[in-house]
Amino acid sequence: MSRTAASLLREALEEVGVRYTFGIPGVHNTEIYDELDKSPSITPVLVTDEGGGAFMADAVSRSGTSLGTLVIVPAAGVTHAASGIGEAFLDGIPMLVIAGGIRRDTGRRYQLHEVDQHAILKPITKGTWLVERHADVIPTIYEAVRVATSGEPGPVFVEIPVNLQLMTGDEGSVPAYPGRVAAEARCTAAAIDEAAGLLAAAKTPGIYVGWGAVDATREVVELAERLGAPVTTTLQGLSAFPANHPLHAGFCLGRAAVPAAENAFKECDCLLAVGARFGEIATGSYGYQPPANLIHVDINPAVFSANYPARVALEGDSAAVLRKLLGALSAPAEGASRRAVVAARIAADKASYRDEWLAHDSKGRVNPARFFAALRRRLADDATVVLDDGNHTFLAAELLPIHHPRGLISPTDFNCMGYCVPATVGAKLARPDAQVVGIVGDGAFRMTGLELATAAALRLGVIVFVFNDGELAQIAQAQEIPYNRKTCTVLGPLEIAGVAQATGAVFVHMSSDADIERGLEQAFATAATGRPVLVDVAVDYSKHTRFTDGIVKTNLERFDFGTKARLVGRALWRRVVR
Ligand SMILES: Cc1ncc(C[n+]2csc(CCOP(=O)(O)OP(=O)(O)O)c2C)c(N)n1
Ligand SMILES: [Mg+2]
């Protein structure tokens, strides 16, 4: 049959199960948009900026309900979207990026949007394809989706030249969609036995989980309970273990961790890491040294021994590998007693850290611990919390317990500010019946806050809390000790109420602790009516997170004597001359 590439693309996207596409039409993709308009199962979403669109697609994928997909214009759409594509790439999130392409049939040069898009996207995608014939459209999309979703997931890019979209051509023999690649354990039985032996013999075993364990929560809980082992998480993996489980110690490892996690892992003699890469943020700037008995489970073998040597490396899907491990590991005799001791210590450490925060004088502003405690009481267990990048990220990581797998999403290793507001849109589209709240710094809010207009147009009842401290705090705090001045980290004024009015969001203000309950009540009640809510939170940032203090110390210590002396000397001198 003779069909346009746009119609073939629509068929492929429907087969793959795409629910939403994000982007902006242009002359190179209006044929695709016209096809999507006819689709019974796909809704094309008009975004404010393709960068926001990419964060929305990322959040759809992180929600786990369908594959986040972009349909954008070449060149300018691609470069705008690149921040979100990069985030998905470093965070291991599947994403299908489709852009129109210039005409390949005219021989003309200097066409509109004529750049090598593949060269731009190569370092931040798992693969790129240029479709050259109508018959290749469907097989190319199926192959791109296979690559995006298998192994460690990531974004893929397909360019469809506009001449193929406009004109018909032979569709060839259309293959059936093969479906998702089955998750499996690729490790040997001997390696499983070795790991089970190490865990059974350990006196103080511990478990460290990342985003790669987010679909293996049941297995991790079973293992932790059997071993009586504490569980700590990476930033991206905060939701991979329920924070209301007694063995949940908290965020991070080492001195950048919350006290419960730092203490629970201080004497760990065998660490089981699942779906985590020991990256910079997840280790508090490499401030933690794992024990020699490190068992590392990951679907991507490249992560093994990249930063710390693994005694046993178990390749494969986390849940599949852990099921094998559970099969080989009988409960150690001391498991139950250890469990009680570990849980009691965690409970005591969590309570004293919380009390330390609640006792902190926020001088009339909103105390972060009080805010998060009140927010937690309003959230259902299966709510989605979306973070951005900044001090608020680590406050949430330390003070807001997450109860549900995929219940917290954050831009982690690409670390791209501007993620939160658009990602709340994507998360709410993906799970319309769930509560979706975003927490964003006032700096990051300026970057993509106008996507609230997209939320309003779609009648999405999301709540965005802006932590309004007037600074780029995460960096300003790191400037305090070495520089004793805040160069380019103090923000000019922004009337957040005006942004709410301009975008069609309902505005709520919280200026002190006294406003928290009333503000939350109003925000949740309004969001339930299908309107976005923008909450201006006059947050108090005068108390640092454990994470910030931990990484500052770790990094200062690591400098050689000469550098340390120069930095300390400069800081002291500035204190004198000020
Ligand atoms: C696109 C981008 N630009 C700059 C940074 C560096 N950076 C990391 S955190 C941060 C501060 C963010 O400020 P804000 O959004 O106000 O959050 P806060 O730290 O105040 O909670 C900055 C500038 C980044 N991660 N991403
Ligand atoms: Mg700020």
Side-chain angles (χ1 to χ4, degrees), residues 391-392 440-444 467-474 489 491 539 541:
N391 188 47
H392 59 283
V440 57
D442 47 353
F467 274 23
N468 192 357
D469 70 316
E471 292 187 354
L472 302 172
Q474 187 64 14
T489 49
L491 295 162
V539 71
Y541 273 178

Side-chain angles (χ1 to χ4, degrees), residues 66-85:
S66 66
L67 176 63
T69 302
L70 292 178
V71 175
I72 53 182
V73 301
V78 165
T79 51
H80 273 208
S83 296
I85 300 171

Side-chain angles (χ1 to χ4, degrees), residues 388-389 392 417-422 439-452 464-468 472 491 494-500 503 505 507 533-536:
D388 210 289
D389 176 42
H392 59 283
M417 283 170 69
Y419 178 86
C420 177
V421 174
I439 298 159
V440 57
D442 47 353
F445 177 71
R446 291 167 190 236
M447 293 182 170
T448 54
L450 284 183
E451 294 293 355
L452 276 172
V464 172
F465 297 97
V466 181
F467 274 23
N468 192 357
L472 302 172
L491 295 162
L494 178 75
E495 190 55 69
I496 292 180
V499 181
T503 55
F507 181 71
V533 183
L534 184 57
V535 189
D536 183 352

Side-chain angles (χ1 to χ4, degrees), residues 308-381:
Y308 303 105
R311 173 137 292 162
V312 186
L314 302 174
E315 184 187 337
D317 170 74
S318 296
V321 172
L322 293 189
R323 279 195 290 271
K324 284 198 188 278
L325 200 51
L326 282 164
L329 179 78
S330 45
E334 59 276 45
S337 56
R338 192 159 53 209
R339 186 173 153 184
V341 174
V342 168
R345 176 90 195 261
I346 287 174
D349 284 346
K350 280 188 175 180
S352 66
Y353 191 51
R354 194 179 51 235
D355 291 348
E356 181 188 309
W357 270 94
L358 291 174
H360 178 71
D361 181 4
S362 286
K363 302 211 162 56
R365 293 178 69 88
V366 174
N367 178 297
R370 210 156 267 130
F371 170 84
F372 283 120
L375 176 62
R376 181 64 270 177
R377 287 194 293 273
R378 302 250 169 196
L379 290 175
D381 275 354

